[in-house]
Amino acid sequence: MEQYHAEMLAVSLAGHDKGTCYVVLGWEDGFFLLSDGKSKPLERPKKKNQKHVQLIRHLPHEIAEKMNRISQDADVRGVLKLYSQRGAAPENREGSE
């Protein structure tokens, strides 16, 4: 099983997926490679222009540990679920639309 090196999360700022949280898998020609473990699995990551995402670099230790062990889509979904449960996801912030 391939092990992925993911260090950040990202939130889409534009497009039909605006507000969606993703795991950043890599970088390629000005585009981030993003996965949500469902519609964009690890095998077919979404390419999103760097201008259209907000990176989330500072993550709680617990989430960072889980991100180091991503090897399948269920791991990606687990990281995103844990992040949203901690109340840190943009859709959970007060004043967010």
Side-chain angles (χ1 to χ4, degrees):
M1 217 180 278
E2 186 176 350
Q3 193 78 3
Y4 292 87
H5 183 69
E7 296 181 353
M8 298 179 280
L9 297 178
V11 176
S12 174
L13 298 176
H16 70 277
D17 63 340
K18 183 177 180 178
T20 303
C21 194
Y22 294 98
V23 171
V24 178
L25 300 176
W27 170 262
E28 182 179 291
D29 300 324
F31 293 89
F32 287 107
L33 301 175
L34 309 172
S35 174
D36 66 0
K38 293 181 211 168
S39 62
K40 293 297 175 187
L42 293 169
E43 296 80 29
R44 291 181 301 120
K46 178 177 189 66
K47 289 176 87 172
K48 189 86 171 171
N49 189 309
Q50 65 180 354
K51 297 176 189 177
H52 299 156
V53 298
Q54 174 68 52
L55 294 177
I56 304 167
R57 294 184 175 139
H58 303 288
L59 298 169
H61 180 72
E62 177 183 6
I63 294 172
E65 285 286 316
K66 285 191 91 159
M67 288 183 69
N68 289 331
R69 296 188 302 261
I70 290 178
S71 61
Q72 55 188 340
D73 291 320
D75 298 332
V76 173
R77 291 190 304 269
V79 165
L80 295 174
K81 182 177 180 180
L82 182 61
Y83 184 72
S84 68
Q85 286 175 343
R86 291 185 62 104
E91 59 269 10
N92 293 338
R93 292 185 188 152
E94 282 188 31
S96 178
E97 293 181 8

